[in-house]
Amino acid sequence: MKINNILFLTCIGFFVILIHSCNSTKETSNSMAVLTSEKVEDDEVSKKVKELLSKMTLEEKIGQMNQYTGFFDPTGPSPKDGNNKEKYEHIESGQVGSMLNVRGAKEVRAMQEIAVEKSRLGIPLIFAFDVIHGFKTISPIPLAEAASWDLEAIEKSARIAAIEASAAGLNWTFAPMVDLYRDARWGRVMEGAGEDTYLGSKVAVARVEGFQGDDLSANNTIAACAKHFAAYGFAEAGKDYNTTDIGLSTLYNVVLPPFKACSDAGVATFMNSFNELNGIPATGDAFLQRDLLKKEWGFEGFVVSDWGSIGEMIAHGHAADGKHASELAANAGSDMDMESHLYVKHLKELVESNKVSMKHIDDAAGRILKIKFDLGLFDDPYRYCDEAREKELILNKEHADAALDMAKKSIVLLKNEKNLLPLAKNGKKIALIGPLAEDKTSPLGNWRLAGDDNTAISVVEGMKKYNDSFTYSKGVKFVEEKTMFHLHVPYNKDDKTGIKEAVNLAKTSDVVIMVLGEHGMQSGEGRSRAQIDIPGVQQELLEAVYEVNKNIVLVLMNGRPLALPWAAENIPAILEVWHLGSQSGNAIAEVLYGDYNPSGKLPMTFPRNVGQVPIYYNYKNTGRPGPKPEVFWQHYSDMTNDPLYPFGFGLSYTTFKYSNLSVTKNGGNNVSVSVNVKNTGKVAGEEVVQLYIRDQVASVTRPVKELKGFEKIRLASGASKTVQFTLTDKELGFYNNQRKYIVEPGKFDVMVGGNSVDLLKDEFEL
Ligand code: BGC
């Protein structure tokens, strides 16, 4: 079998590792199944696929590889004469395989009818949409959900999103985003599960299973899409779409595992990415898509390009023109062209001139048809188009309850001096201050395309349910502008007129709750920030209020970790609530008033200063670790290496004590670890017990700690529990620079605790 790509790792002139094309039998690794054919198994579906392919013309096969965005209201005036004439005709002539952004049972049915009734073979379209954190009922942004470390709740959240989306005619979501990242400047950190590979892989699988359920053909499940393959989250300097250049070890040990986990879990589709990786745009990367994903991992679904990413290979300087871009992408294994409009223009000629083989076209079209069969679209292309079901299921009470549960679980208590929280339900004079407290849109966060503006429960509304005697003042404003894409871009730089009123209010109150942070559209795609502080004049508002009243509870709404050293030092209570979705205000109020005891733990490190990023818990020790009372060790001269809040960190209204860490070797590479956890506080609470290891000496250096297990437990006041973990090859090994998964003998540290810093420690030897 052929491995035909090159990966390299450059370390500032020290060494270059090159893995080159070779024509040898591929080594089998401990954990990767190696398939020898990119063809799907010869089962019943593949027979049907083959049979259908045999009836299709080249144009029709290429048509399956073409995806357009929604371009007209299919239930409205005829598009035959307008700007959309060509797209309409392409559906009629079987030259479109999929539509994105068409939604609604009626609208999807109308468009499906064109494909099914008018095209020669009547092949149904597959309808895609970015169902990222809920459809109409909006759940917390994915980063927030990951903070729950509650895989069951996360799976349920995806399940509900699938139920609502499928009721609106959809059968494919572009989620989960399983990109790993370490830079809070990147706007899309809100869309993933944080910085850790182990947690990220578990969350990725929970989401895939939630969307796809047990049976893809059921009318309430949808195909999932692991994106963006690969390394999009390592965009240089956290700038969206930027170049990615990472070494082999990071690629294999950090970036790829969540994708591999999705492939193993049977995810139906992958999406490639906008970025180049080590000089090759991912969309044109045959190593990633063909050799690794389809051959080595045995992935049987299809790969969709990212929006226009085939055409973008021209700007990357990799393709000369649209035709060349199509050739590169098709040969690399990008099966479906999302909105570049290039396959449909050039592939036929490329096949006829032998630049793209018929085998590749059959493989791509076959993979797309297979997923359509799996979805049951050939049995009934309208199975997702039931208006009665749509009415009954979307925004129903059960979904709201689940969104509330998920929202509460996503909240992280960062600081709580003198037990300022929870608030007494009566008898205190409370001031509520901040522009986000009455905002009913921002809490929905970015990537909630079907979610309607102004539909989240605000903090003002949530608190009123407890006690409406508090007084509210906005303090400062978010002023929204419309860009050419009609997306809200918030500016809140200058207007300080409301600060005086807020300060006066704070003066006469017992406690001040300040809801500050990022507008819902300040994170997400294209929303990278060079500064990651509390934006605009909100910091000034916070400090002005602090001058007159120090009893402040800071409620932070944001889509990324923020650098807020002043607040962390001075404000006695801080609650990280992210963008929590439709039920935001209810969830926050329940936590503020103590009806829910927070248990979230950070899935991403909070820096003290933007200059520290990329900052992450599983760093390497280097040859000059510290701290040392001298100059020559790896550190900054003006800033500590420590984060503001570490990965895995989060407080509770109770406290937990860890004891009796014990390690037992069971023979082979099998080690049991147990620890006792006791609730030493006055109320019941939940704790995420985290297990980390360090391979002390390895042929490829290992991080100072790596998460390899966690369990969320609930303990009544005074109760304790022994939590058990098992470490096996899967947790103990790593990929070396020959891409081989190995477990090396030697000493390992094992660390257990309630965050990545405060840990009990022991060791064992393999
Ligand atoms: C994003 C994808 C998304 C696609 C379709 C792109 O800009 O990168 O994540 O699925 O648009 O909306």
Side-chain angles (χ1 to χ4, degrees):
M1 186 194 302
K2 210 169 144 211
I3 303 169
N4 67 352
N5 209 330
I6 298 170
L7 285 163
F8 58 89
L9 172 70
T10 309
C11 262
I12 323 163
F14 282 112
F15 60 91
V16 174
I17 293 170
L18 197 64
I19 294 185
H20 216 327
S21 307
C22 60
N23 286 308
S24 61
T25 307
K26 186 167 283 173
E27 294 152 315
T28 9
S29 67
N30 282 4
S31 75
M32 284 194 174
V34 178
L35 287 195
T36 47
S37 160
E38 68 187 59
K39 286 246 155 41
V40 293
E41 302 257 25
D42 209 7
D43 58 12
E44 214 172 297
V45 170
S46 52
K47 267 189 219 143
K48 288 183 190 167
V49 169
K50 266 189 209 148
E51 204 183 307
L52 184 52
L53 280 174
S54 71
K55 294 183 193 148
M56 292 167 77
T57 62
L58 175 57
E59 286 93 330
E60 283 165 341
K61 290 175 185 173
I62 293 167
Q64 288 305 305
M65 299 166 69
N66 183 29
Q67 183 185 53
Y68 287 141
T69 187
F71 48 88
F72 61 89
D73 174 3
T75 58
S78 165
K80 283 184 203 156
D81 309 317
N83 294 337
N84 298 307
K85 190 166 177 273
E86 190 187 60
K87 285 182 175 182
Y88 180 89
E89 285 170 0
H90 280 177
I91 301 182
E92 271 193 334
S93 58
Q95 288 184 78
V96 183
S98 172
M99 293 296 301
L100 77 146
N101 293 335
V102 179
R103 63 174 200 265
K106 193 168 161 200
E107 290 74 11
V108 169
R109 176 184 286 271
M111 197 163 283
Q112 189 71 294
E113 273 170 4
I114 307 171
V116 170
E117 285 166 28
K118 305 218 164 141
S119 72
R120 189 179 74 91
L121 292 169
I123 298 174
L125 298 164
I126 170 170
F127 288 88
F129 198 70
D130 289 281
V131 184
I132 307 296
H133 53 111
F135 181 67
K136 280 276 179 200
T137 301
I138 302 299
S139 48
I141 56 170
L143 183 64
E145 287 194 355
S148 74
W149 297 54
D150 188 328
L151 300 175
E152 222 173 282
I154 292 171
E155 181 177 336
K156 188 166 178 196
S157 167
R159 183 86 285 281
I160 286 169
I163 290 170
E164 291 200 357
S166 61
L170 298 164
N171 30 55
W172 180 20
T173 175
F174 296 135
M177 185 188 101
V178 304
D179 294 308
L180 256 277
Y181 42 75
R182 295 165 164 179
D183 192 330
R185 290 173 296 183
W186 191 46
R188 295 192 87 164
V189 304
M190 54 81 52
E191 208 184 329
E195 73 189 36
D196 182 64
T197 302
Y198 183 87
L199 177 63
S201 302
K202 297 276 179 204
V203 171
V205 170
R207 290 191 167 132
V208 168
E209 289 175 350
F211 288 128
Q212 297 195 165
D214 299 332
D215 175 10
L216 211 49
S217 73
N219 71 353
N220 64 2
T221 57
I222 57 179
C225 179
K227 71 186 189 185
H228 306 85
F229 198 56
Y232 179 45
F234 273 70
E236 278 178 1
K239 209 165 17 156
D240 209 0
Y241 317 123
N242 206 3
T243 300
T244 301
D245 204 322
I246 56 171
L248 185 67
S249 188
T250 302
L251 181 65
Y252 267 74
N253 291 297
V254 178
V255 170
L256 293 179
F259 288 102
K260 172 77 166 54
C262 289
S263 174
D264 290 346
V267 71
T269 68
F270 263 57
M271 183 186 291
N272 59 36
S273 54
F274 289 129
N275 59 289
E276 65 163 69
L277 172 60
N278 302 335
I280 302 175
T283 306
D285 194 330
F287 162 72
L288 282 176
Q289 299 172 102
R290 231 177 246 298
D291 297 342
L292 187 69
L293 175 64
K294 292 177 181 172
K295 284 187 193 152
E296 197 167 315
W297 294 357
F299 171 67
E300 294 182 354
F302 69 88
V303 181
V304 63
S305 80
D306 203 345
W307 182 293
S309 69
I310 296 178
E312 287 180 13
M313 287 201 289
I314 303 167
H316 274 292
H318 192 58
D321 52 30
K323 189 169 159 194
H324 188 207
S326 303
E327 178 189 337
L328 291 170
N331 283 334
S334 287
D335 301 312
M336 185 180 276
D337 171 2
M338 183 200 296
E339 271 295 315
S340 280
H341 300 216
L342 290 175
Y343 278 3
V344 73
K345 253 190 223 135
H346 300 295
L347 274 187
K348 184 164 182 266
E349 198 190 326
L350 285 164
V351 172
E352 284 164 356
S353 57
N354 292 325
K355 292 267 173 54
V356 172
S357 72
M358 199 56 216
K359 191 175 142 244
H360 282 346
I361 301 291
D362 280 340
D363 183 58
R367 286 170 178 274
I368 294 161
L369 293 172
K370 172 190 160 16
I371 297 302
K372 291 185 178 184
F373 276 110
D374 289 349
L375 283 164
L377 288 168
F378 283 97
D379 296 333
D380 176 7
Y382 309 111
R383 65 195 304 130
Y384 300 89
C385 304
D386 175 347
E387 287 177 62
R389 201 176 146 251
E390 183 176 29
K391 249 198 208 121
E392 179 202 327
L393 291 176
I394 289 183
L395 289 173
N396 75 14
K397 166 87 171 64
E398 193 195 329
H399 298 175
D401 292 347
L404 175 59
D405 182 58
M406 188 74 252
K408 289 189 286 194
K409 288 176 168 156
S410 304
I411 294 174
V412 186
L413 179 63
L414 294 176
K415 193 174 173 191
N416 194 19
E417 264 176 19
K418 295 188 206 132
N419 294 331
L420 192 57
L421 285 175
L423 303 170
K425 286 180 184 149
N426 289 301
K428 291 270 180 219
K429 217 172 155 208
I430 292 176
L432 179 60
I433 293 172
L436 289 164
E438 61 169 2
D439 194 328
K440 289 172 66 61
T441 299
S442 272
L444 299 173
N446 203 335
W447 278 123
R448 44 92 195 171
L449 301 180
D452 297 317
D453 278 4
N454 249 334
T455 53
I457 306 285
S458 70
V459 179
V460 170
E461 290 168 329
M463 281 181 56
K464 270 191 183 157
K465 291 183 187 160
Y466 278 86
N467 185 338
D468 66 1
S469 65
F470 64 87
T471 330
Y472 173 62
S473 170
K474 200 183 216 103
V476 297
K477 275 193 259 182
F478 281 104
V479 182
E480 290 175 18
E481 284 188 3
K482 302 261 183 192
T483 69
M484 60 181 170
F485 295 112
H486 303 290
L487 296 172
H488 305 286
V489 178
Y491 293 94
N492 53 342
K493 294 200 180 98
D494 306 311
D495 186 357
K496 302 178 190 170
T497 48
I499 294 185
K500 207 166 155 205
E501 181 195 284
V503 167
N504 285 337
L505 180 63
K507 267 185 200 158
T508 56
S509 304
D510 299 320
V511 183
V512 187
I513 298 172
M514 299 194 66
V515 188
L516 307 178
E518 293 184 317
H519 182 279
M521 287 291 163
Q522 228 157 350
S523 56
E525 185 178 349
R527 265 71 176 203
S528 293
R529 292 179 62 201
Q531 293 166 46
I532 50 171
D533 48 6
I534 303 177
V537 287
Q538 294 178 97
Q539 177 70 27
E540 214 171 302
L541 170 69
L542 180 63
E543 291 184 30
V545 170
Y546 179 79
E547 280 295 304
V548 299
N549 192 334
K550 310 235 170 327
N551 284 338
I552 297 176
V553 177
L554 175 58
V555 176
L556 282 173
M557 278 187 190
N558 38 273
R560 55 157 64 77
L562 296 178
L564 25 94
W566 185 90
E569 166 114 27
N570 295 292
I571 302 301
I574 305 179
L575 208 53
E576 173 55 69
V577 305
W578 320 100
H579 293 130
L580 284 181
S582 306
Q583 291 292 322
S584 174
N586 286 337
I588 294 166
E590 279 195 42
V591 169
L592 288 174
Y593 284 105
D595 279 351
Y596 185 83
N597 185 358
S599 59
K601 302 276 187 176
L602 294 178
M604 196 174 175
T605 305
F606 274 45
R608 293 173 186 278
N609 183 288
V610 70
Q612 289 180 310
V613 299
I615 183 169
Y616 47 97
Y617 84 94
N618 48 351
Y619 56 87
K620 298 285 185 79
N621 207 38
T622 79
R624 293 191 173 192
K628 283 186 181 166
E630 55 161 72
V631 174
F632 302 109
W633 62 285
Q634 62 92 7
H635 72 299
Y636 301 105
S637 49
D638 57 355
M639 172 75 46
T640 155
N641 281 350
D642 297 337
L644 193 60
Y645 297 110
F647 173 82
F649 176 78
L651 302 171
S652 160
Y653 293 152
T654 189
T655 45
F656 297 97
K657 187 168 184 303
Y658 286 71
S659 62
N660 296 336
L661 175 62
S662 122
V663 183
T664 315
K665 282 170 61 187
N666 304 320
N669 293 336
N670 191 300
V671 178
S672 300
V673 180
S674 74
V675 72
N676 190 266
V677 186
K678 181 169 186 192
N679 180 344
T680 48
K682 292 198 180 82
V683 292
E686 285 179 292
E687 169 73 332
V688 180
V689 183
Q690 302 160 39
L691 173 130
Y692 299 85
I693 63 164
R694 178 183 185 184
D695 185 345
Q696 292 179 6
V697 179
S699 56
V700 179
T701 61
R702 307 305 306 137
V704 293
K705 59 191 74 147
E706 291 178 277
L707 183 73
K708 292 295 177 181
F710 64 87
E711 190 179 325
K712 193 163 186 172
I713 57 168
R714 182 175 179 81
L715 290 175
S717 166
S720 54
K721 185 177 175 181
T722 301
V723 179
Q724 309 266 6
F725 298 97
T726 307
L727 296 169
T728 63
D729 279 352
K730 235 172 136 192
E731 291 79 28
L732 296 167
F734 60 88
Y735 287 93
N736 68 12
N737 288 343
Q738 284 68 51
R739 312 186 324 127
K740 198 169 174 195
Y741 188 84
I742 52 171
V743 181
E744 290 185 337
K747 284 187 178 166
F748 287 73
D749 293 328
V750 57
M751 296 156 271
V752 181
N755 64 63
S756 64
V757 171
D758 304 310
L759 297 159
L760 297 180
K761 190 169 166 187
D762 201 343
E763 69 172 23
F764 62 87
E765 189 163 353
L766 284 186

